[in-house]
Short mmCIF file of all heavy atoms in Angstrom, two decimals:
data_model
loop_
_atom_site.label_atom_id
_atom_site.label_comp_id
_atom_site.label_asym_id
_atom_site.label_seq_id
_atom_site.Cartn_x
_atom_site.Cartn_y
_atom_site.Cartn_z
N LEU A 16 18.69 -33.53 -14.30
CA LEU A 16 17.57 -34.36 -14.68
C LEU A 16 17.95 -35.81 -14.74
O LEU A 16 17.27 -36.71 -14.29
CB LEU A 16 17.01 -33.93 -16.03
CG LEU A 16 16.75 -32.39 -16.14
CD1 LEU A 16 16.31 -32.08 -17.62
CD2 LEU A 16 15.73 -31.92 -15.16
N GLN A 17 19.10 -36.04 -15.30
CA GLN A 17 19.62 -37.41 -15.50
C GLN A 17 19.95 -38.06 -14.16
O GLN A 17 19.68 -39.26 -13.90
CB GLN A 17 20.83 -37.44 -16.41
CG GLN A 17 21.39 -38.82 -16.65
CD GLN A 17 22.43 -38.84 -17.77
OE1 GLN A 17 22.56 -37.89 -18.50
NE2 GLN A 17 23.12 -39.95 -17.88
N LEU A 18 20.52 -37.25 -13.26
CA LEU A 18 21.02 -37.81 -11.97
C LEU A 18 19.81 -38.32 -11.14
O LEU A 18 19.92 -39.36 -10.49
CB LEU A 18 21.74 -36.76 -11.18
CG LEU A 18 23.21 -36.49 -11.65
CD1 LEU A 18 23.76 -35.33 -10.87
CD2 LEU A 18 24.01 -37.77 -11.45
N LEU A 19 18.67 -37.63 -11.18
CA LEU A 19 17.54 -38.09 -10.43
C LEU A 19 17.12 -39.47 -10.85
O LEU A 19 16.78 -40.32 -10.01
CB LEU A 19 16.36 -37.10 -10.58
CG LEU A 19 16.49 -35.80 -9.82
CD1 LEU A 19 15.45 -34.80 -10.35
CD2 LEU A 19 16.33 -36.02 -8.30
N ILE A 20 17.03 -39.73 -12.16
CA ILE A 20 16.62 -41.00 -12.65
C ILE A 20 17.68 -42.07 -12.47
O ILE A 20 17.41 -43.19 -12.02
CB ILE A 20 16.19 -40.92 -14.13
CG1 ILE A 20 15.01 -39.95 -14.24
CG2 ILE A 20 15.81 -42.27 -14.67
CD1 ILE A 20 14.60 -39.66 -15.70
N ASP A 21 18.93 -41.67 -12.74
CA ASP A 21 20.03 -42.62 -12.54
C ASP A 21 20.18 -43.07 -11.10
O ASP A 21 20.42 -44.25 -10.80
CB ASP A 21 21.36 -41.96 -13.01
CG ASP A 21 21.51 -42.00 -14.51
OD1 ASP A 21 20.63 -42.61 -15.16
OD2 ASP A 21 22.47 -41.40 -15.01
N ASP A 22 19.96 -42.12 -10.19
CA ASP A 22 20.07 -42.50 -8.71
C ASP A 22 19.04 -43.55 -8.38
O ASP A 22 19.33 -44.47 -7.62
CB ASP A 22 19.89 -41.27 -7.86
CG ASP A 22 21.10 -40.39 -7.84
OD1 ASP A 22 22.21 -40.82 -8.29
OD2 ASP A 22 20.98 -39.24 -7.38
N PHE A 23 17.85 -43.37 -8.95
CA PHE A 23 16.79 -44.37 -8.64
C PHE A 23 17.12 -45.72 -9.27
O PHE A 23 16.95 -46.78 -8.65
CB PHE A 23 15.41 -43.88 -9.13
CG PHE A 23 14.30 -44.80 -8.76
CD1 PHE A 23 13.62 -44.65 -7.57
CD2 PHE A 23 13.88 -45.79 -9.65
CE1 PHE A 23 12.57 -45.50 -7.25
CE2 PHE A 23 12.86 -46.67 -9.29
CZ PHE A 23 12.24 -46.48 -8.09
N ARG A 24 17.58 -45.69 -10.52
CA ARG A 24 17.89 -46.91 -11.23
C ARG A 24 19.05 -47.69 -10.60
O ARG A 24 19.08 -48.93 -10.77
CB ARG A 24 18.23 -46.59 -12.67
CG ARG A 24 17.08 -46.18 -13.54
CD ARG A 24 17.41 -45.33 -14.73
NE ARG A 24 18.51 -45.77 -15.53
CZ ARG A 24 18.34 -46.33 -16.72
NH1 ARG A 24 17.15 -46.58 -17.19
NH2 ARG A 24 19.40 -46.69 -17.43
N ARG A 25 19.89 -47.01 -9.86
CA ARG A 25 21.02 -47.69 -9.23
C ARG A 25 20.73 -48.32 -7.89
O ARG A 25 21.56 -49.02 -7.29
CB ARG A 25 22.19 -46.71 -9.08
CG ARG A 25 22.97 -46.45 -10.35
CD ARG A 25 24.30 -45.74 -10.04
NE ARG A 25 24.08 -44.36 -9.53
CZ ARG A 25 24.11 -43.29 -10.28
NH1 ARG A 25 24.31 -43.37 -11.62
NH2 ARG A 25 23.88 -42.11 -9.75
N GLN A 26 19.50 -48.06 -7.38
CA GLN A 26 19.19 -48.67 -6.08
C GLN A 26 19.20 -50.17 -6.08
O GLN A 26 18.74 -50.81 -7.06
CB GLN A 26 17.78 -48.19 -5.62
CG GLN A 26 17.63 -46.75 -5.33
CD GLN A 26 16.23 -46.39 -4.88
OE1 GLN A 26 15.86 -46.76 -3.76
NE2 GLN A 26 15.51 -45.74 -5.73
N ASP A 27 19.76 -50.73 -5.02
CA ASP A 27 19.71 -52.22 -4.92
C ASP A 27 18.35 -52.72 -4.54
O ASP A 27 18.00 -53.89 -4.88
CB ASP A 27 20.76 -52.67 -3.88
CG ASP A 27 22.22 -52.53 -4.37
OD1 ASP A 27 22.40 -52.52 -5.59
OD2 ASP A 27 23.08 -52.39 -3.51
N ARG A 28 17.60 -51.92 -3.83
CA ARG A 28 16.30 -52.34 -3.37
C ARG A 28 15.28 -51.32 -3.76
O ARG A 28 15.39 -50.10 -3.52
CB ARG A 28 16.29 -52.50 -1.85
CG ARG A 28 14.94 -53.00 -1.30
CD ARG A 28 15.05 -53.25 0.17
NE ARG A 28 13.75 -53.80 0.71
CZ ARG A 28 13.56 -54.09 1.95
NH1 ARG A 28 14.54 -53.93 2.84
NH2 ARG A 28 12.43 -54.61 2.34
N VAL A 29 14.20 -51.80 -4.41
CA VAL A 29 13.11 -50.95 -4.87
C VAL A 29 11.83 -51.41 -4.23
O VAL A 29 11.44 -52.60 -4.37
CB VAL A 29 12.96 -50.95 -6.41
CG1 VAL A 29 11.75 -50.14 -6.83
CG2 VAL A 29 14.29 -50.37 -7.04
N HIS A 30 11.11 -50.55 -3.56
CA HIS A 30 9.77 -50.87 -3.04
C HIS A 30 8.75 -50.72 -4.19
O HIS A 30 8.09 -49.72 -4.31
CB HIS A 30 9.42 -50.00 -1.84
CG HIS A 30 10.27 -50.28 -0.63
ND1 HIS A 30 10.04 -51.38 0.16
CD2 HIS A 30 11.27 -49.61 -0.07
CE1 HIS A 30 10.91 -51.42 1.16
NE2 HIS A 30 11.68 -50.29 1.02
N ALA A 31 8.71 -51.75 -4.99
CA ALA A 31 7.95 -51.66 -6.24
C ALA A 31 6.46 -51.40 -5.96
O ALA A 31 5.84 -50.66 -6.70
CB ALA A 31 8.16 -52.95 -7.07
N GLY A 32 5.89 -52.04 -4.97
CA GLY A 32 4.46 -51.85 -4.69
C GLY A 32 4.16 -50.40 -4.36
O GLY A 32 3.17 -49.85 -4.83
N SER A 33 4.99 -49.78 -3.56
CA SER A 33 4.78 -48.37 -3.22
C SER A 33 4.85 -47.48 -4.43
O SER A 33 4.07 -46.55 -4.60
CB SER A 33 5.82 -47.96 -2.12
OG SER A 33 5.63 -46.64 -1.80
N LEU A 34 5.84 -47.77 -5.30
CA LEU A 34 5.98 -46.94 -6.53
C LEU A 34 4.80 -47.15 -7.41
O LEU A 34 4.31 -46.21 -8.05
CB LEU A 34 7.24 -47.40 -7.24
CG LEU A 34 7.60 -46.52 -8.50
CD1 LEU A 34 7.98 -45.14 -8.12
CD2 LEU A 34 8.73 -47.20 -9.33
N ILE A 35 4.27 -48.36 -7.54
CA ILE A 35 3.10 -48.66 -8.42
C ILE A 35 1.87 -47.88 -7.86
O ILE A 35 1.08 -47.33 -8.60
CB ILE A 35 2.81 -50.15 -8.51
CG1 ILE A 35 3.89 -50.81 -9.34
CG2 ILE A 35 1.46 -50.46 -9.07
CD1 ILE A 35 3.93 -52.30 -9.31
N ILE A 36 1.72 -47.83 -6.51
CA ILE A 36 0.60 -47.06 -5.93
C ILE A 36 0.74 -45.58 -6.33
O ILE A 36 -0.23 -44.91 -6.64
CB ILE A 36 0.57 -47.25 -4.40
CG1 ILE A 36 0.09 -48.65 -4.09
CG2 ILE A 36 -0.36 -46.20 -3.76
CD1 ILE A 36 -1.31 -48.95 -4.59
N SER A 37 1.99 -45.07 -6.33
CA SER A 37 2.18 -43.71 -6.71
C SER A 37 1.79 -43.47 -8.18
O SER A 37 1.16 -42.47 -8.53
CB SER A 37 3.65 -43.28 -6.56
OG SER A 37 4.03 -43.28 -5.19
N VAL A 38 2.08 -44.44 -9.05
CA VAL A 38 1.77 -44.33 -10.46
C VAL A 38 0.26 -44.38 -10.63
O VAL A 38 -0.34 -43.61 -11.40
CB VAL A 38 2.47 -45.42 -11.28
CG1 VAL A 38 1.96 -45.47 -12.70
CG2 VAL A 38 3.97 -45.21 -11.27
N PHE A 39 -0.39 -45.28 -9.93
CA PHE A 39 -1.85 -45.37 -10.03
C PHE A 39 -2.51 -44.06 -9.58
O PHE A 39 -3.37 -43.50 -10.27
CB PHE A 39 -2.38 -46.54 -9.16
CG PHE A 39 -2.70 -47.78 -9.92
CD1 PHE A 39 -1.68 -48.65 -10.24
CD2 PHE A 39 -3.97 -48.06 -10.40
CE1 PHE A 39 -1.95 -49.77 -10.97
CE2 PHE A 39 -4.26 -49.18 -11.12
CZ PHE A 39 -3.24 -50.06 -11.43
N GLY A 40 -2.11 -43.53 -8.45
CA GLY A 40 -2.66 -42.34 -7.96
C GLY A 40 -2.42 -41.11 -8.86
O GLY A 40 -3.37 -40.27 -9.03
N ASP A 41 -1.28 -41.00 -9.45
CA ASP A 41 -0.96 -39.85 -10.24
C ASP A 41 -1.30 -39.98 -11.74
O ASP A 41 -1.80 -39.02 -12.31
CB ASP A 41 0.55 -39.54 -10.14
CG ASP A 41 0.93 -38.27 -10.86
OD1 ASP A 41 0.46 -37.21 -10.47
OD2 ASP A 41 1.71 -38.33 -11.84
N ALA A 42 -1.07 -41.16 -12.34
CA ALA A 42 -1.21 -41.26 -13.77
C ALA A 42 -2.41 -42.12 -14.19
O ALA A 42 -2.99 -41.90 -15.28
CB ALA A 42 0.05 -41.79 -14.40
N VAL A 43 -2.72 -43.16 -13.43
CA VAL A 43 -3.76 -44.08 -13.86
C VAL A 43 -5.18 -43.58 -13.49
O VAL A 43 -6.10 -43.68 -14.32
CB VAL A 43 -3.54 -45.49 -13.24
CG1 VAL A 43 -4.62 -46.47 -13.66
CG2 VAL A 43 -2.19 -46.03 -13.68
N VAL A 44 -5.31 -43.02 -12.32
CA VAL A 44 -6.62 -42.52 -11.90
C VAL A 44 -7.19 -41.48 -12.86
O VAL A 44 -8.37 -41.57 -13.23
CB VAL A 44 -6.56 -41.94 -10.46
CG1 VAL A 44 -7.79 -41.13 -10.12
CG2 VAL A 44 -6.45 -43.07 -9.43
N PRO A 45 -6.42 -40.49 -13.35
CA PRO A 45 -7.00 -39.56 -14.32
C PRO A 45 -7.46 -40.20 -15.62
O PRO A 45 -8.18 -39.58 -16.39
CB PRO A 45 -5.87 -38.62 -14.57
CG PRO A 45 -4.97 -38.71 -13.39
CD PRO A 45 -5.05 -40.11 -12.97
N ARG A 46 -7.02 -41.47 -15.93
CA ARG A 46 -7.42 -42.14 -17.16
C ARG A 46 -8.36 -43.30 -16.80
O ARG A 46 -8.45 -44.24 -17.58
CB ARG A 46 -6.14 -42.63 -17.88
CG ARG A 46 -5.32 -41.46 -18.41
CD ARG A 46 -4.04 -41.90 -19.03
NE ARG A 46 -3.32 -40.71 -19.52
CZ ARG A 46 -3.18 -40.38 -20.79
NH1 ARG A 46 -3.78 -41.08 -21.76
NH2 ARG A 46 -2.52 -39.29 -21.14
N GLY A 47 -9.11 -43.16 -15.75
CA GLY A 47 -10.17 -44.15 -15.49
C GLY A 47 -9.82 -45.14 -14.39
O GLY A 47 -10.71 -45.94 -13.99
N GLY A 48 -8.61 -45.13 -13.82
CA GLY A 48 -8.28 -45.96 -12.71
C GLY A 48 -7.97 -47.40 -13.06
O GLY A 48 -7.88 -48.27 -12.14
N ARG A 49 -7.71 -47.73 -14.32
CA ARG A 49 -7.34 -49.09 -14.68
C ARG A 49 -6.29 -49.03 -15.80
O ARG A 49 -6.27 -48.11 -16.61
CB ARG A 49 -8.56 -49.96 -15.10
CG ARG A 49 -9.28 -49.45 -16.33
CD ARG A 49 -10.61 -50.16 -16.49
NE ARG A 49 -10.48 -51.58 -16.75
CZ ARG A 49 -11.42 -52.46 -16.60
NH1 ARG A 49 -12.61 -52.10 -16.12
NH2 ARG A 49 -11.23 -53.73 -16.86
N ILE A 50 -5.49 -50.14 -15.90
CA ILE A 50 -4.42 -50.16 -16.91
C ILE A 50 -4.10 -51.60 -17.19
O ILE A 50 -4.18 -52.47 -16.33
CB ILE A 50 -3.16 -49.40 -16.39
CG1 ILE A 50 -2.13 -49.25 -17.53
CG2 ILE A 50 -2.57 -50.06 -15.15
CD1 ILE A 50 -0.95 -48.35 -17.12
N TRP A 51 -3.71 -51.90 -18.46
CA TRP A 51 -3.25 -53.23 -18.84
C TRP A 51 -1.91 -53.44 -18.20
O TRP A 51 -1.06 -52.58 -18.14
CB TRP A 51 -3.16 -53.29 -20.38
CG TRP A 51 -2.51 -54.51 -20.88
CD1 TRP A 51 -2.66 -55.76 -20.52
CD2 TRP A 51 -1.48 -54.53 -21.95
NE1 TRP A 51 -1.88 -56.64 -21.20
CE2 TRP A 51 -1.12 -55.90 -22.10
CE3 TRP A 51 -0.90 -53.57 -22.73
CZ2 TRP A 51 -0.22 -56.30 -23.04
CZ3 TRP A 51 0.02 -53.96 -23.69
CH2 TRP A 51 0.41 -55.29 -23.80
N LEU A 52 -1.71 -54.65 -17.67
CA LEU A 52 -0.52 -54.98 -16.98
C LEU A 52 0.75 -54.79 -17.88
O LEU A 52 1.76 -54.24 -17.44
CB LEU A 52 -0.54 -56.43 -16.48
CG LEU A 52 0.72 -56.93 -15.74
CD1 LEU A 52 1.05 -56.06 -14.54
CD2 LEU A 52 0.57 -58.39 -15.36
N GLY A 53 0.64 -55.16 -19.13
CA GLY A 53 1.70 -54.97 -20.12
C GLY A 53 2.09 -53.54 -20.28
O GLY A 53 3.30 -53.19 -20.41
N SER A 54 1.14 -52.63 -20.26
CA SER A 54 1.40 -51.19 -20.34
C SER A 54 2.11 -50.71 -19.05
O SER A 54 3.03 -49.91 -19.16
CB SER A 54 0.08 -50.46 -20.56
OG SER A 54 0.31 -49.09 -20.81
N LEU A 55 1.64 -51.15 -17.90
CA LEU A 55 2.30 -50.75 -16.68
C LEU A 55 3.77 -51.21 -16.67
O LEU A 55 4.68 -50.49 -16.24
CB LEU A 55 1.56 -51.40 -15.50
CG LEU A 55 2.08 -50.99 -14.09
CD1 LEU A 55 1.98 -49.53 -13.85
CD2 LEU A 55 1.33 -51.79 -12.97
N ILE A 56 4.03 -52.46 -17.15
CA ILE A 56 5.40 -52.94 -17.18
C ILE A 56 6.21 -52.07 -18.11
O ILE A 56 7.38 -51.70 -17.80
CB ILE A 56 5.40 -54.41 -17.65
CG1 ILE A 56 4.79 -55.36 -16.60
CG2 ILE A 56 6.83 -54.88 -18.04
CD1 ILE A 56 4.48 -56.74 -17.06
N ARG A 57 5.68 -51.72 -19.26
CA ARG A 57 6.40 -50.84 -20.21
C ARG A 57 6.74 -49.50 -19.61
O ARG A 57 7.83 -48.94 -19.81
CB ARG A 57 5.53 -50.69 -21.49
CG ARG A 57 5.95 -49.57 -22.40
CD ARG A 57 7.33 -49.77 -23.04
NE ARG A 57 7.75 -48.62 -23.83
CZ ARG A 57 8.35 -47.54 -23.35
NH1 ARG A 57 8.67 -47.44 -22.05
NH2 ARG A 57 8.72 -46.51 -24.14
N LEU A 58 5.78 -48.93 -18.85
CA LEU A 58 6.04 -47.61 -18.29
C LEU A 58 7.11 -47.59 -17.22
O LEU A 58 7.86 -46.64 -17.06
CB LEU A 58 4.72 -47.04 -17.71
CG LEU A 58 3.67 -46.63 -18.70
CD1 LEU A 58 2.33 -46.38 -17.97
CD2 LEU A 58 4.09 -45.37 -19.44
N LEU A 59 7.22 -48.68 -16.46
CA LEU A 59 8.13 -48.77 -15.34
C LEU A 59 9.52 -49.32 -15.69
O LEU A 59 10.47 -49.12 -14.95
CB LEU A 59 7.52 -49.54 -14.18
CG LEU A 59 6.31 -48.95 -13.52
CD1 LEU A 59 5.71 -49.84 -12.46
CD2 LEU A 59 6.62 -47.61 -12.98
N GLU A 60 9.59 -50.02 -16.82
CA GLU A 60 10.86 -50.66 -17.21
C GLU A 60 12.06 -49.69 -17.25
O GLU A 60 13.15 -50.01 -16.79
CB GLU A 60 10.68 -51.36 -18.55
CG GLU A 60 11.92 -52.20 -18.95
CD GLU A 60 12.98 -51.40 -19.70
OE1 GLU A 60 12.61 -50.32 -20.28
OE2 GLU A 60 14.19 -51.83 -19.67
N PRO A 61 11.89 -48.43 -17.74
CA PRO A 61 13.05 -47.51 -17.78
C PRO A 61 13.57 -47.12 -16.40
O PRO A 61 14.66 -46.60 -16.30
CB PRO A 61 12.50 -46.31 -18.51
CG PRO A 61 11.34 -46.79 -19.31
CD PRO A 61 10.72 -47.88 -18.49
N LEU A 62 12.80 -47.40 -15.36
CA LEU A 62 13.26 -47.14 -14.00
C LEU A 62 13.96 -48.34 -13.40
O LEU A 62 14.32 -48.34 -12.21
CB LEU A 62 12.09 -46.70 -13.07
CG LEU A 62 11.50 -45.29 -13.36
CD1 LEU A 62 10.29 -45.06 -12.48
CD2 LEU A 62 12.57 -44.21 -13.13
#
């Protein structure tokens, strides 16, 4: 479990826009399709 997240965190290059689209499709759409920017930042910071 840890290795999957650590591997992602160690990447030198992250396609942030593509990841955000994944988050919108999977987590934001079921909650109405909108999110506060500060909340999005908080959710993605651990990655």
Side-chain angles (χ1 to χ4, degrees):
L16 311 177
Q17 181 170 348
L18 282 174
L19 284 168
I20 298 174
D21 281 353
D22 285 348
F23 184 88
R24 285 154 52 102
R25 281 194 294 264
Q26 292 182 72
D27 287 336
R28 182 176 183 179
V29 175
H30 290 286
S33 180
L34 185 69
I35 289 169
I36 289 297
S37 294
V38 172
F39 261 83
D41 184 63
V43 179
V44 166
R46 293 175 180 256
R49 62 192 294 161
I50 188 172
W51 170 44
L52 179 58
S54 185
L55 182 63
I56 291 168
R57 163 66 184 87
L58 288 169
L59 294 178
E60 186 274 337
L62 289 175

